[in-house]
Amino acid sequence: MLRKFFIKRFRTYAIIMIIPLLVLFLIMGYLILETQQRELEKQGVNTLKSINDNIVYVAYSTIHQQDMMMGIAQYKLSIQKLFNHSELEYQDVIFLNAAKSFLRSFESAYPYINSIYFYLDGRNNYLTSSSEQLVSLQTFYDKAWFEKYSKMSEEEKQFVETRWIKRYQYEEAKKVITIYQKMTSANGVIVVNINSENFGEMIRSMLYHSGQSFFYLNDRGDVLFSSDEQSAMDVEKEKDFFQKMIKAYQLDGEFKSNQKWVKVNGKYYLFCIKPADYFDTYFVSLITFDTFKDKMLNYLQIAVSILIVNLSLIMLLAWIITKIAFKHITSLVELFGAAERGETVEKPQTIVKDEYNLIMNNILFLFIKNNQMQTHLLEKQHQNEISELKALQMQINPHFIFNTLQTMDLEVLKELGGLSTLHTMIQELSRIIKYALNDPTELVTLKEELDYLKAYMQIQEIRFKNKIVTYFEIEENVLDYQVFRLMLQPIVENSVNHGYTSINERFYIKIKIFGRKNNMYVSIIDSGCGMTKEEIQKLYLRINDIKAKNIGLTNLNRRLVLHYGEYSKIHIRSKKGMGTEISFKIPIQALVNKSKDNKE
């Protein structure tokens, strides 16, 4: 019976939970396919745009700026003088140095630029970025470019090719991408040689992942550069793959296969092509289908794992619920049987909160809740009585102490027959207690706060036998500002307790308060033992610790932030053996507003 009900529950739960889950997986799979497709398309477009804007643009800018310079008559004349070996004037030398610096700057600033040549037609020499002087077409190590330039027709304004340059016999030849651009303001050419290896490193750093490859094509579809050998081999095996696409584009004005999956040597690639903004060249991005497939396999693995876990949970849930239901039914049968036999029936224990015992559970819950509420009510009444007694005690005790001090003062005057140190201490202590008895939330003027502080310091000076010297430097215009009580005393107390270490030496404390612009500045400086940077950091941690207790500076810092905001937090400056300064600032507008509110 138990097994039969378990199988039935498992089947029901599986249908209810698995079918929606499968539908959700299908929808999510479709959305992931679409999203991944768009993401890969976006990666291809962004890569080509980034390469065009950041790398190829540099070569174009080099050529364009030099060509623009040739449009300046004096600059052009100076260049011609140099090539003709004519006598140079001072202004010519300035222009020529500018030209050389210009060529060298691009070569040094961009590591993938191998060299730049500047040539005027009909001459046997030319200017290079790597040489301070003109070099000869017959003796310079690189003269193969001139043969290609000589073969360019008058209609051809620019051309791009790949070739090899070898400067010395003992070094390996370097593959370069050479850009030829005829000048518009003179008969000549500007040649830029791009180091293919360095260019490749820059390109690979801009690709999104290892499954993406980049191709740089000329206007005939020839591959000038490829970032990946495997994809290059696949393209090479597809005869005239790029050439056909470029030719079709030149005829139709569009790439029909752009942003589509194309088959290359039996493998599928997401094809993205973009005509470069310069030099009649093209950029191509190929992303392997393996990249797309790997992401989908990851999703399928996650989906299958979730499905298996879900089935396991359904099985476990069906088994637990079936066991509990049978246990509950057995308890009900036993309960009814006992009732029929006339036996005493105890209150049923809660097994599960379901339809079988919902009513009984509610009755028991109300009964227990009622007992709890009565207990809580009694406890609250007791706590209120204690609170009232404590409040009464707090009202009686301080007044009792104050009155006792007054009586002691009179007795001291009688016994000693006049003023004395003891009389002074009792008087100042009475003032302190009277000040503390007032409403702690009521604001006081800064003058009242300073009077209280002076009473406190009077006792401290007597206590330490006048070894403590206190200076007050207070501007008159700040005395009427309203502040909260005990704003200064915690800092002074901290200075005395922690800064005054030698009772044989004088200890100086300076309280400085002044107004500047929109703030009232408060600074308390002592000549105590000071602190190291580590000790200051530890003190900051304690001050800003919300869980810290019984720390005067912590409490003061909280009150400052509460009344005036984070702007008024405590700042500490100290040097070991020199002393300590604790300061803060309060916006005057806040003090004025507090004063108005207090008057109202």
Side-chain angles (χ1 to χ4, degrees), residues 317-353:
L317 181 64
W319 176 254
I320 292 173
I321 291 177
T322 302
K323 289 279 290 183
I324 291 175
F326 265 77
K327 183 178 180 181
H328 189 69
I329 291 171
T330 303
S331 299
L332 289 176
V333 170
E334 292 176 354
L335 182 65
F336 292 148
E340 288 178 358
R341 294 190 296 271
E343 299 175 358
T344 302
V345 179
E346 297 180 358
K347 293 180 181 179
Q349 300 295 321
T350 302
I351 300 176
V352 289
K353 293 183 178 180

Side-chain angles (χ1 to χ4, degrees), residues 565-598:
E566 294 286 334
Y567 180 77
S568 299
K569 291 178 67 173
I570 285 176
H571 294 276
I572 304 170
R573 293 196 307 169
S574 183
K575 189 171 183 181
K576 195 68 175 177
M578 299 288 291
T580 301
E581 177 188 12
I582 297 179
S583 62
F584 58 87
K585 55 187 176 181
I586 301 174
I588 291 178
Q589 187 61 40
L591 295 171
V592 172
N593 291 339
K594 293 282 186 182
S595 301
K596 291 180 179 178
D597 294 342
N598 195 43

Side-chain angles (χ1 to χ4, degrees), residues 233 510 523:
M233 291 173 60
K510 181 178 181 181
S523 176

Side-chain angles (χ1 to χ4, degrees), residues 134-148:
L134 294 173
V135 297
S136 173
L137 284 170
Q138 287 76 30
T139 59
F140 196 61
Y141 70 89
D142 182 20
K143 45 185 173 287
W145 66 270
F146 185 72
E147 297 176 7
K148 176 59 189 177

Side-chain angles (χ1 to χ4, degrees), residues 458-469:
Q458 183 70 26
I459 294 176
Q460 293 287 29
E461 289 173 6
I462 295 172
R463 176 188 168 197
F464 290 100
K465 300 180 180 180
N466 294 323
K467 293 293 184 179
I468 296 179
V469 180

Side-chain angles (χ1 to χ4, degrees), residues 79-112:
I79 293 294
Q80 289 175 342
K81 284 183 179 181
L82 174 67
F83 276 80
N84 294 333
H85 301 287
S86 302
E87 184 177 352
L88 300 179
E89 299 178 1
Y90 177 73
Q91 190 173 8
D92 298 329
V93 174
I94 293 176
F95 277 113
L96 292 175
N97 288 336
K100 294 176 182 178
S101 299
F102 173 81
L103 295 178
R104 286 195 302 271
S105 65
F106 270 93
E107 181 180 346
S108 60
Y110 303 100
Y112 52 88

